[in-house]
Amino acid sequence: MEKLELEIIDYTHDGLGLGRDQNKVVFLDEGVIGDKVIYETLKEKKSFKRGRVLEIKKPSVFRHPSPCPYFENCGGCSFLNVGEKVINNWKEKRIEKILSSLADDTTKKGKLIKENSLYYRNNIQLKVQNGQLGYYSKKTNKLVKIEKCLLAKKEINEIITLLIKQDLRGLKNIYIRQNYKNDIMLILEGEKISNKIIASICEKVISLYEKKNNEFKLIYGKSYLEEKIGEIKFKLGPGSFFQINHQVMNKIYELAIEKLDLKKEDKLLDLYCGIGTMTLIGAQKCKEALGIEYVEEAVCLARENAEENKIENTSFIAGKVEDLLNKIKDFNKVLVDPPRKGMDRKVIEKLLDLQPEKIVYVSCNVDTQKRDLEILKEKYKISYIQAADMFPMTPHVECIALIQRVKS
Ligand SMILES: C[S@@+](CC[C@H](N)C(=O)[O-])C[C@H]1O[C@@H](n2cnc3c(N)ncnc32)[C@H](O)[C@@H]1O
């Protein structure tokens, strides 16, 4: 196979090296912006090639040694070997590039929201193979054994230290969640959970669950983790979504609610509402708020959360947004925070039909967000965009967009 040389000029959306060979884009399996590499072609099409880096001929000036001993192989993160400024720039530019066709001269842009780059994750999923604990490797489903993770909170790392001393055979996945006051919820999934593991770990956690066939069984402690946002307390269950970065989450929620500019007479619809975090924050500023979410456990907790915080002007419906939105009318402010795949086409069409004055779209995938906003452009304009580094050291970025109705 022919060996070729190129300079890495960008990253792909999933954080891999990207270069150019004459008129073709070359997608590589690794590399840092600025590296000069020797690569071989694995696949060639009319406009692009896929290649494998064989050698880094001249390392980029942005490269530095990774502080993580597992970085070379571990698939847990992507950018621990490159200067943060380069990555921040790349994340900002990615948002601009993707959304620029939608924005106009009047669109305001906020600066990237940025907090701690390490020890920020409050939720991790570890794999277990033959009793060994780790993450999958960057390129295969082979396990990379780890004893710590620099992205996870320190208390989660303490649990990892305890777990690796145990006989983990029979387990498949381990989920560790941590709340704002550093309590731990541990979820063990596998064929066999030995009493020895349970005895060794239960005093270190506030909640211990077994997961089997997608069902959760409480083995020890409390059934939920307590979360707190501002003055509102939330119960979080093992099967419910919660943002993985507390500091950035608080800023995003504040921004989303501020941009909706909620008034006493407003009616707020919160689509994909999880345990009702933004629904309850927003409800305090408006006449009423309705949350829709398809995880039953999350909806039950959202209702409990409303009751326990005495926020009475809220209601929640369990089900798929695309199935339920037809029955909804008369909401003038809408929040949407869908999963990575974005909104179902039916949901977007129904929003065009409902015609709320303002929609705040929070997304963890700017590609699907752009696709959805392109359709909403029929009646809306983008007034504000801001990116947030919810997932430092990974290629992911959160984006918050405010769109306002211009046509009816
Ligand atoms: C990115 S999370 C946002 C949750 C919440 N807004 C928050 O900040 O905690 C997306 C949520 O949408 C839910 N979800 C995914 N697809 C859905 C659908 N088709 N209908 C309703 N809820 C859905 C997930 O269970 C998850 O709770």
Side-chain angles (χ1 to χ4, degrees), residues 13-76:
H13 72 97
D14 46 1
L16 303 176
L18 191 144
R20 212 164 244 292
D21 180 10
Q22 289 161 23
N23 54 353
K24 285 189 185 174
V25 177
V26 185
F27 298 103
L28 292 168
D29 59 344
E30 59 177 299
V32 163
I33 291 179
D35 278 346
K36 291 211 168 83
V37 301
I38 307 284
Y39 75 97
E40 64 175 357
T41 306
L42 299 174
K43 189 176 174 184
E44 187 154 5
K45 294 271 175 195
K46 242 184 178 170
S47 60
F48 73 89
K49 289 204 249 180
R50 288 197 187 282
R52 175 168 44 220
V53 173
L54 299 170
E55 184 195 332
I56 296 168
K57 202 173 169 204
K58 188 162 179 248
S60 161
V61 290
F62 306 122
R63 249 186 198 272
H64 59 61
S66 164
C68 173
Y70 319 110
F71 179 74
E72 281 309 311
N73 296 319
C74 176

Side-chain angles (χ1 to χ4, degrees), residues 369-384:
Q369 186 182 31
K370 178 183 165 150
R371 178 203 66 202
D372 296 349
L373 290 174
E374 290 276 8
I375 309 170
L376 287 163
K377 218 167 110 181
E378 187 187 317
K379 289 186 182 165
Y380 288 84
K381 79 176 271 308
I382 301 201
S383 311
Y384 190 87

Side-chain angles (χ1 to χ4, degrees), residues 157-170:
N157 275 293
E158 285 168 16
I159 299 293
I160 297 178
T161 307
L162 276 175
L163 284 170
I164 54 179
K165 292 183 187 140
Q166 309 304 317
D167 181 359
L168 301 174
R169 281 173 299 179

Side-chain angles (χ1 to χ4, degrees), residues 206-221:
I206 201 153
S207 170
L208 177 58
Y209 272 94
E210 176 182 7
K211 183 177 178 192
K212 227 178 206 163
N213 305 324
N214 260 338
E215 303 222 332
F216 298 92
K217 187 174 133 208
L218 184 67
I219 304 180
Y220 168 85

Side-chain angles (χ1 to χ4, degrees), residues 122-123 175 177 185 187 209 211 214 216 223-225 227 234-244 273-277 293-302 305:
N122 58 29
N123 181 357
Y175 308 81
R177 295 184 113 170
M185 174 184 278
I187 303 165
Y209 272 94
K211 183 177 178 192
N214 260 338
F216 298 92
S223 61
Y224 61 89
L225 267 187
E227 282 293 352
F234 293 89
K235 285 181 178 173
L236 170 65
S240 305
F241 175 90
F242 197 75
Q243 306 286 355
I244 62 150
C273 70
I275 56 168
T277 43
E293 160 66 48
Y294 74 176
V295 173
E296 297 262 356
E297 175 202 281
V299 173
C300 292
L301 289 172
N305 291 333

Side-chain angles (χ1 to χ4, degrees), residues 323-340:
D323 297 340
L324 293 168
L325 210 53
N326 262 336
K327 302 178 186 125
I328 308 291
K329 49 183 176 200
D330 298 335
F331 283 85
N332 64 329
K333 304 267 168 93
V334 175
L335 255 172
V336 300
D337 183 7
R340 292 191 65 71

Side-chain angles (χ1 to χ4, degrees), residues 111-149:
K111 254 185 87 189
L112 182 76
I113 295 173
K114 186 97 197 119
E115 292 290 333
N116 297 345
S117 299
L118 297 179
Y119 303 111
Y120 67 87
R121 282 195 77 123
N122 58 29
N123 181 357
I124 63 166
Q125 178 186 348
L126 294 162
K127 297 278 163 200
V128 183
Q129 277 179 6
N130 304 322
Q132 309 275 11
L133 187 79
Y135 288 116
Y136 278 152
S137 129
K138 279 197 167 77
K139 295 174 192 173
T140 66
N141 271 5
K142 257 173 90 185
L143 189 95
V144 175
K145 202 177 136 201
I146 63 150
E147 293 187 359
K148 63 180 175 186
C149 171

